[in-house]
Amino acid sequence: RPFGIVSPKSATVDKDRIFLLTYMEFEVGYNGDQVVSVNVTSEMGLEHLTDITDLGDQSFLPFKYSVKWKESSIPYHQALKTQVRNMVQNQHQSVNVHWLAIINSFVLMLLIL
C-alpha cells in the first residue's frame, strides 16, 4: 500500500501536488499472551490524505492510527511461517524478508510505546 500520492500537474494546477497518508490501521492477532500476527491497512479516503506540497521544514503534521486486537488460533511457534505464507498467497509476489523485518520492528516499537 502506498503511503502517499503524487498528483501530476494539469490544466488547472501548475505543479505536481504531493499528498501524504496520515492514518494507518493495525490489526494485531494474539494467542494467549503472545502476538502472532500484525496486519497494516491504510485508508485511502480523502479525509486521510494531507497535502504536503508547500509544507516547510519545521511544519507539524499529525499522524493517527488505530489498533484492533483479534484473538487467533495460530500457535506462536508457527506465527512467522503463517504470515509469510499468507503474504505470498494473497499478493502473488515474492517475499523480501529484509523488508518484512523492518515492518515487524516498526510495529513492535509502536506496541511498546
Side-chain angles (χ1 to χ4, degrees), residues 2 4 11 15 19 21 27 31 46 51 53 61 68 72-73 76 88 92 113:
K15 63 179 178 178
F19 295 90
L21 183 64
E27 184 176 286
N31 187 346
L46 293 178
D51 188 350
T53 305
L61 188 61
K68 293 181 181 178
S72 176
S73 62
Y76 179 73
V88 171
H92 304 291
L113 297 175

Side-chain angles (χ1 to χ4, degrees), residues 1-6 19-24 40-45 48-49 63 99:
R1 300 249 179 192
F3 293 105
I5 298 172
V6 176
F19 295 90
L20 184 65
L21 183 64
T22 57
Y23 176 78
M24 302 288 274
V40 182
T41 58
S42 54
E43 293 292 327
M44 291 301 290
H48 300 300
L49 292 173
F63 284 82
W99 183 241

